[in-house]
PDB file of all heavy atoms in Angstrom:
ATOM      1  N   TYR L  33      -5.489  -7.030   4.245  1.00 94.00           N
ATOM      2  CA  TYR L  33      -5.699  -5.636   4.611  1.00 94.00           C
ATOM      3  C   TYR L  33      -6.763  -4.993   3.707  1.00 94.00           C
ATOM      4  O   TYR L  33      -6.889  -5.366   2.548  1.00 94.00           O
ATOM      5  CB  TYR L  33      -4.408  -4.820   4.422  1.00 94.00           C
ATOM      6  CG  TYR L  33      -3.138  -5.482   4.897  1.00 94.00           C
ATOM      7  CD1 TYR L  33      -2.562  -6.524   4.185  1.00 94.00           C
ATOM      8  CD2 TYR L  33      -2.494  -5.034   6.042  1.00 94.00           C
ATOM      9  CE1 TYR L  33      -1.386  -7.123   4.606  1.00 94.00           C
ATOM     10  CE2 TYR L  33      -1.311  -5.619   6.470  1.00 94.00           C
ATOM     11  CZ  TYR L  33      -0.760  -6.674   5.746  1.00 94.00           C
ATOM     12  OH  TYR L  33       0.407  -7.257   6.169  1.00 94.00           O
ATOM     13  N   GLN L  37      -8.455   4.973  -0.581  1.00 94.00           N
ATOM     14  CA  GLN L  37      -7.635   6.046  -1.145  1.00 94.00           C
ATOM     15  C   GLN L  37      -8.555   7.102  -1.722  1.00 94.00           C
ATOM     16  O   GLN L  37      -9.270   6.857  -2.693  1.00 94.00           O
ATOM     17  CB  GLN L  37      -6.694   5.510  -2.220  1.00 94.00           C
ATOM     18  CG  GLN L  37      -5.745   6.570  -2.760  1.00 94.00           C
ATOM     19  CD  GLN L  37      -4.723   6.003  -3.711  1.00 94.00           C
ATOM     20  OE1 GLN L  37      -5.018   5.091  -4.482  1.00 94.00           O
ATOM     21  NE2 GLN L  37      -3.495   6.511  -3.644  1.00 94.00           N
ATOM     22  N   GLY L  42      -2.709   9.566  -0.120  1.00 84.00           N
ATOM     23  CA  GLY L  42      -2.153   8.239   0.079  1.00 84.00           C
ATOM     24  C   GLY L  42      -3.216   7.258   0.547  1.00 84.00           C
ATOM     25  O   GLY L  42      -4.405   7.567   0.560  1.00 84.00           O
ATOM     26  N   LEU L  43      -2.795   6.079   0.929  1.00 89.00           N
ATOM     27  CA  LEU L  43      -3.725   5.046   1.374  1.00 89.00           C
ATOM     28  C   LEU L  43      -3.894   5.102   2.887  1.00 89.00           C
ATOM     29  O   LEU L  43      -2.931   5.343   3.619  1.00 89.00           O
ATOM     30  CB  LEU L  43      -3.202   3.665   0.995  1.00 89.00           C
ATOM     31  CG  LEU L  43      -3.348   3.252  -0.461  1.00 89.00           C
ATOM     32  CD1 LEU L  43      -2.294   3.927  -1.328  1.00 89.00           C
ATOM     33  CD2 LEU L  43      -3.231   1.747  -0.593  1.00 89.00           C
ATOM     34  N   TYR L  48      -7.445  -4.717   9.207  1.00 92.00           N
ATOM     35  CA  TYR L  48      -6.514  -5.734   8.763  1.00 92.00           C
ATOM     36  C   TYR L  48      -6.784  -7.030   9.514  1.00 92.00           C
ATOM     37  O   TYR L  48      -7.455  -7.032  10.556  1.00 92.00           O
ATOM     38  CB  TYR L  48      -5.063  -5.285   8.946  1.00 92.00           C
ATOM     39  CG  TYR L  48      -4.658  -5.001  10.373  1.00 92.00           C
ATOM     40  CD1 TYR L  48      -4.059  -5.977  11.150  1.00 92.00           C
ATOM     41  CD2 TYR L  48      -4.860  -3.745  10.932  1.00 92.00           C
ATOM     42  CE1 TYR L  48      -3.677  -5.718  12.457  1.00 92.00           C
ATOM     43  CE2 TYR L  48      -4.488  -3.476  12.235  1.00 92.00           C
ATOM     44  CZ  TYR L  48      -3.888  -4.454  12.988  1.00 92.00           C
ATOM     45  OH  TYR L  48      -3.516  -4.195  14.280  1.00 92.00           O
ATOM     46  N   ALA L  50      -4.387 -10.171  10.713  1.00 88.00           N
ATOM     47  CA  ALA L  50      -3.030 -10.705  10.803  1.00 88.00           C
ATOM     48  C   ALA L  50      -2.989 -12.176  10.391  1.00 88.00           C
ATOM     49  O   ALA L  50      -2.013 -12.639   9.812  1.00 88.00           O
ATOM     50  CB  ALA L  50      -2.485 -10.540  12.211  1.00 88.00           C
ATOM     51  N   PHE L  90      -8.802  -0.596  -1.755  1.00 97.00           N
ATOM     52  CA  PHE L  90      -7.803  -1.588  -2.135  1.00 97.00           C
ATOM     53  C   PHE L  90      -7.693  -2.654  -1.063  1.00 97.00           C
ATOM     54  O   PHE L  90      -7.645  -2.356   0.129  1.00 97.00           O
ATOM     55  CB  PHE L  90      -6.428  -0.948  -2.327  1.00 97.00           C
ATOM     56  CG  PHE L  90      -6.329  -0.070  -3.538  1.00 97.00           C
ATOM     57  CD1 PHE L  90      -6.382   1.300  -3.424  1.00 97.00           C
ATOM     58  CD2 PHE L  90      -6.170  -0.628  -4.800  1.00 97.00           C
ATOM     59  CE1 PHE L  90      -6.291   2.117  -4.543  1.00 97.00           C
ATOM     60  CE2 PHE L  90      -6.077   0.177  -5.922  1.00 97.00           C
ATOM     61  CZ  PHE L  90      -6.144   1.555  -5.792  1.00 97.00           C
ATOM     62  N   GLU L  97       2.904 -10.251   8.696  1.00 74.00           N
ATOM     63  CA  GLU L  97       2.543  -8.848   8.860  1.00 74.00           C
ATOM     64  C   GLU L  97       3.545  -7.851   8.282  1.00 74.00           C
ATOM     65  O   GLU L  97       3.156  -6.880   7.689  1.00 74.00           O
ATOM     66  CB  GLU L  97       2.323  -8.548  10.343  1.00 74.00           C
ATOM     67  CG  GLU L  97       1.127  -9.267  10.925  1.00 74.00           C
ATOM     68  CD  GLU L  97       1.043  -9.100  12.418  1.00 74.00           C
ATOM     69  OE1 GLU L  97       1.245  -7.975  12.900  1.00 74.00           O
ATOM     70  OE2 GLU L  97       0.775 -10.096  13.107  1.00 74.00           O
ATOM     71  N   GLN L 101       3.510  -6.180   0.784  1.00 90.00           N
ATOM     72  CA  GLN L 101       2.104  -6.421   0.492  1.00 90.00           C
ATOM     73  C   GLN L 101       1.862  -6.472  -1.012  1.00 90.00           C
ATOM     74  O   GLN L 101       2.493  -5.761  -1.781  1.00 90.00           O
ATOM     75  CB  GLN L 101       1.250  -5.308   1.107  1.00 90.00           C
ATOM     76  CG  GLN L 101       1.328  -5.274   2.618  1.00 90.00           C
ATOM     77  CD  GLN L 101       0.473  -4.179   3.218  1.00 90.00           C
ATOM     78  OE1 GLN L 101      -0.344  -3.554   2.557  1.00 90.00           O
ATOM     79  NE2 GLN L 101       0.632  -3.972   4.512  1.00 90.00           N
ATOM     80  N   PHE L 103      -1.169  -5.964  -3.775  1.00 95.00           N
ATOM     81  CA  PHE L 103      -2.440  -5.266  -3.842  1.00 95.00           C
ATOM     82  C   PHE L 103      -3.304  -5.748  -5.008  1.00 95.00           C
ATOM     83  O   PHE L 103      -2.792  -6.155  -6.056  1.00 95.00           O
ATOM     84  CB  PHE L 103      -2.203  -3.764  -4.018  1.00 95.00           C
ATOM     85  CG  PHE L 103      -1.741  -3.073  -2.770  1.00 95.00           C
ATOM     86  CD1 PHE L 103      -0.427  -3.132  -2.370  1.00 95.00           C
ATOM     87  CD2 PHE L 103      -2.647  -2.353  -1.991  1.00 95.00           C
ATOM     88  CE1 PHE L 103       0.003  -2.497  -1.214  1.00 95.00           C
ATOM     89  CE2 PHE L 103      -2.231  -1.712  -0.840  1.00 95.00           C
ATOM     90  CZ  PHE L 103      -0.908  -1.782  -0.447  1.00 95.00           C
ATOM     91  N   ARG L 108     -13.764   0.919  -7.234  1.00 96.00           N
ATOM     92  CA  ARG L 108     -14.116   2.339  -7.261  1.00 96.00           C
ATOM     93  C   ARG L 108     -15.568   2.474  -6.846  1.00 96.00           C
ATOM     94  O   ARG L 108     -16.454   2.050  -7.575  1.00 96.00           O
ATOM     95  CB  ARG L 108     -13.842   2.917  -8.643  1.00 96.00           C
ATOM     96  CG  ARG L 108     -12.363   3.139  -8.847  1.00 96.00           C
ATOM     97  CD  ARG L 108     -11.901   3.005 -10.275  1.00 96.00           C
ATOM     98  NE  ARG L 108     -10.446   3.184 -10.351  1.00 96.00           N
ATOM     99  CZ  ARG L 108      -9.551   2.241 -10.088  1.00 96.00           C
ATOM    100  NH1 ARG L 108      -9.944   1.036  -9.741  1.00 96.00           N
ATOM    101  NH2 ARG L 108      -8.251   2.486 -10.163  1.00 96.00           N
TER     102      ARG L 108
ATOM    103  N   HIS F  34      10.184   0.175   3.320  1.00 93.00           N
ATOM    104  CA  HIS F  34       9.559  -0.415   2.140  1.00 93.00           C
ATOM    105  C   HIS F  34       9.275   0.693   1.135  1.00 93.00           C
ATOM    106  O   HIS F  34       8.859   1.790   1.499  1.00 93.00           O
ATOM    107  CB  HIS F  34       8.224  -1.081   2.500  1.00 93.00           C
ATOM    108  CG  HIS F  34       8.355  -2.360   3.246  1.00 93.00           C
ATOM    109  ND1 HIS F  34       7.801  -3.537   2.805  1.00 93.00           N
ATOM    110  CD2 HIS F  34       8.977  -2.665   4.406  1.00 93.00           C
ATOM    111  CE1 HIS F  34       8.067  -4.514   3.653  1.00 93.00           C
ATOM    112  NE2 HIS F  34       8.772  -4.010   4.637  1.00 93.00           N
ATOM    113  N   TYR F  36       6.942   1.336  -2.409  1.00 95.00           N
ATOM    114  CA  TYR F  36       5.915   0.891  -3.337  1.00 95.00           C
ATOM    115  C   TYR F  36       5.745   1.967  -4.402  1.00 95.00           C
ATOM    116  O   TYR F  36       6.119   3.123  -4.192  1.00 95.00           O
ATOM    117  CB  TYR F  36       4.569   0.703  -2.635  1.00 95.00           C
ATOM    118  CG  TYR F  36       4.520  -0.456  -1.679  1.00 95.00           C
ATOM    119  CD1 TYR F  36       5.062  -0.361  -0.402  1.00 95.00           C
ATOM    120  CD2 TYR F  36       3.921  -1.656  -2.050  1.00 95.00           C
ATOM    121  CE1 TYR F  36       5.014  -1.430   0.483  1.00 95.00           C
ATOM    122  CE2 TYR F  36       3.864  -2.725  -1.180  1.00 95.00           C
ATOM    123  CZ  TYR F  36       4.418  -2.606   0.080  1.00 95.00           C
ATOM    124  OH  TYR F  36       4.366  -3.675   0.945  1.00 95.00           O
ATOM    125  N   GLN F  38       2.723   3.350  -7.449  1.00 94.00           N
ATOM    126  CA  GLN F  38       1.349   3.229  -7.914  1.00 94.00           C
ATOM    127  C   GLN F  38       1.216   3.917  -9.263  1.00 94.00           C
ATOM    128  O   GLN F  38       1.327   5.140  -9.344  1.00 94.00           O
ATOM    129  CB  GLN F  38       0.368   3.823  -6.904  1.00 94.00           C
ATOM    130  CG  GLN F  38      -1.087   3.590  -7.249  1.00 94.00           C
ATOM    131  CD  GLN F  38      -2.028   4.067  -6.153  1.00 94.00           C
ATOM    132  OE1 GLN F  38      -1.672   4.908  -5.340  1.00 94.00           O
ATOM    133  NE2 GLN F  38      -3.235   3.531  -6.139  1.00 94.00           N
ATOM    134  N   SER F  41      -4.454   4.626 -11.979  1.00 86.00           N
ATOM    135  CA  SER F  41      -5.614   3.727 -11.992  1.00 86.00           C
ATOM    136  C   SER F  41      -5.253   2.282 -11.654  1.00 86.00           C
ATOM    137  O   SER F  41      -5.964   1.359 -12.066  1.00 86.00           O
ATOM    138  CB  SER F  41      -6.311   3.779 -13.359  1.00 86.00           C
ATOM    139  OG  SER F  41      -6.765   5.085 -13.618  1.00 86.00           O
ATOM    140  N   GLY F  43      -3.499  -0.497  -8.450  1.00 92.00           N
ATOM    141  CA  GLY F  43      -3.131  -0.642  -7.058  1.00 92.00           C
ATOM    142  C   GLY F  43      -1.643  -0.485  -6.871  1.00 92.00           C
ATOM    143  O   GLY F  43      -0.864  -0.624  -7.819  1.00 92.00           O
ATOM    144  N   PRO F  44      -1.207  -0.168  -5.652  1.00 93.00           N
ATOM    145  CA  PRO F  44       0.233  -0.060  -5.403  1.00 93.00           C
ATOM    146  C   PRO F  44       0.950  -1.365  -5.713  1.00 93.00           C
ATOM    147  O   PRO F  44       0.384  -2.455  -5.595  1.00 93.00           O
ATOM    148  CB  PRO F  44       0.302   0.276  -3.905  1.00 93.00           C
ATOM    149  CG  PRO F  44      -1.014   0.908  -3.597  1.00 93.00           C
ATOM    150  CD  PRO F  44      -1.993   0.183  -4.475  1.00 93.00           C
ATOM    151  N   TYR F  46       4.670  -3.400  -4.992  1.00 94.00           N
ATOM    152  CA  TYR F  46       5.887  -3.463  -4.191  1.00 94.00           C
ATOM    153  C   TYR F  46       7.102  -3.259  -5.084  1.00 94.00           C
ATOM    154  O   TYR F  46       7.186  -3.825  -6.184  1.00 94.00           O
ATOM    155  CB  TYR F  46       5.966  -4.815  -3.488  1.00 94.00           C
ATOM    156  CG  TYR F  46       7.317  -5.152  -2.925  1.00 94.00           C
ATOM    157  CD1 TYR F  46       7.778  -4.552  -1.770  1.00 94.00           C
ATOM    158  CD2 TYR F  46       8.146  -6.065  -3.582  1.00 94.00           C
ATOM    159  CE1 TYR F  46       9.029  -4.853  -1.264  1.00 94.00           C
ATOM    160  CE2 TYR F  46       9.388  -6.372  -3.081  1.00 94.00           C
ATOM    161  CZ  TYR F  46       9.830  -5.769  -1.924  1.00 94.00           C
ATOM    162  OH  TYR F  46      11.071  -6.075  -1.437  1.00 94.00           O
ATOM    163  N   TYR F  87       5.838   5.560  -2.949  1.00 95.00           N
ATOM    164  CA  TYR F  87       5.599   5.642  -1.511  1.00 95.00           C
ATOM    165  C   TYR F  87       6.739   4.984  -0.740  1.00 95.00           C
ATOM    166  O   TYR F  87       7.145   3.859  -1.051  1.00 95.00           O
ATOM    167  CB  TYR F  87       4.309   4.920  -1.127  1.00 95.00           C
ATOM    168  CG  TYR F  87       3.058   5.449  -1.748  1.00 95.00           C
ATOM    169  CD1 TYR F  87       2.498   4.827  -2.858  1.00 95.00           C
ATOM    170  CD2 TYR F  87       2.415   6.563  -1.228  1.00 95.00           C
ATOM    171  CE1 TYR F  87       1.323   5.297  -3.423  1.00 95.00           C
ATOM    172  CE2 TYR F  87       1.241   7.037  -1.791  1.00 95.00           C
ATOM    173  CZ  TYR F  87       0.704   6.401  -2.889  1.00 95.00           C
ATOM    174  OH  TYR F  87      -0.457   6.861  -3.450  1.00 95.00           O
ATOM    175  N   ARG F  91       7.756  -0.438   8.112  1.00 83.00           N
ATOM    176  CA  ARG F  91       7.038  -1.598   8.608  1.00 83.00           C
ATOM    177  C   ARG F  91       7.805  -2.166   9.795  1.00 83.00           C
ATOM    178  O   ARG F  91       8.906  -2.676   9.664  1.00 83.00           O
ATOM    179  CB  ARG F  91       6.913  -2.670   7.520  1.00 83.00           C
ATOM    180  CG  ARG F  91       6.216  -2.232   6.255  1.00 83.00           C
ATOM    181  CD  ARG F  91       4.786  -1.845   6.486  1.00 83.00           C
ATOM    182  NE  ARG F  91       4.019  -2.864   7.161  1.00 83.00           N
ATOM    183  CZ  ARG F  91       3.515  -3.955   6.583  1.00 83.00           C
ATOM    184  NH1 ARG F  91       3.747  -4.181   5.316  1.00 83.00           N
ATOM    185  NH2 ARG F  91       2.800  -4.809   7.274  1.00 83.00           N
ATOM    186  N   TYR F  97       0.687  -3.629  13.042  1.00 56.00           N
ATOM    187  CA  TYR F  97       0.912  -2.800  11.882  1.00 56.00           C
ATOM    188  C   TYR F  97      -0.226  -1.871  11.586  1.00 56.00           C
ATOM    189  O   TYR F  97      -0.363  -1.402  10.481  1.00 56.00           O
ATOM    190  CB  TYR F  97       1.250  -3.658  10.672  1.00 56.00           C
ATOM    191  CG  TYR F  97       0.275  -4.762  10.423  1.00 56.00           C
ATOM    192  CD1 TYR F  97      -0.920  -4.530   9.764  1.00 56.00           C
ATOM    193  CD2 TYR F  97       0.554  -6.033  10.855  1.00 56.00           C
ATOM    194  CE1 TYR F  97      -1.812  -5.531   9.545  1.00 56.00           C
ATOM    195  CE2 TYR F  97      -0.353  -7.059  10.642  1.00 56.00           C
ATOM    196  CZ  TYR F  97      -1.526  -6.798   9.985  1.00 56.00           C
ATOM    197  OH  TYR F  97      -2.416  -7.791   9.763  1.00 56.00           O
ATOM    198  N   PHE F 102       0.684   5.134   4.679  1.00 82.00           N
ATOM    199  CA  PHE F 102       1.044   5.562   3.333  1.00 82.00           C
ATOM    200  C   PHE F 102       0.749   7.055   3.242  1.00 82.00           C
ATOM    201  O   PHE F 102      -0.399   7.449   3.287  1.00 82.00           O
ATOM    202  CB  PHE F 102       0.191   4.834   2.286  1.00 82.00           C
ATOM    203  CG  PHE F 102       0.653   3.460   1.937  1.00 82.00           C
ATOM    204  CD1 PHE F 102       0.289   2.371   2.710  1.00 82.00           C
ATOM    205  CD2 PHE F 102       1.425   3.244   0.810  1.00 82.00           C
ATOM    206  CE1 PHE F 102       0.703   1.095   2.372  1.00 82.00           C
ATOM    207  CE2 PHE F 102       1.834   1.964   0.455  1.00 82.00           C
ATOM    208  CZ  PHE F 102       1.465   0.890   1.245  1.00 82.00           C
ATOM    209  N   GLY F 103       1.779   7.875   3.122  1.00 82.00           N
ATOM    210  CA  GLY F 103       1.565   9.302   2.927  1.00 82.00           C
ATOM    211  C   GLY F 103       1.226   9.599   1.481  1.00 82.00           C
ATOM    212  O   GLY F 103       0.934   8.690   0.715  1.00 82.00           O
TER     213      GLY F 103
END
Side-chain angles (χ1 to χ4, degrees):
Chain L
Y33 317 74
Q37 184 174 36
L43 283 77
Y48 61 94
F90 290 102
E97 294 172 44
Q101 296 180 11
F103 285 80
R108 284 150 182 82
Chain F
H34 287 236
Y36 291 79
Q38 187 174 22
S41 299
Y46 165 75
Y87 299 100
R91 302 297 307 281
Y97 51 81
F102 279 84

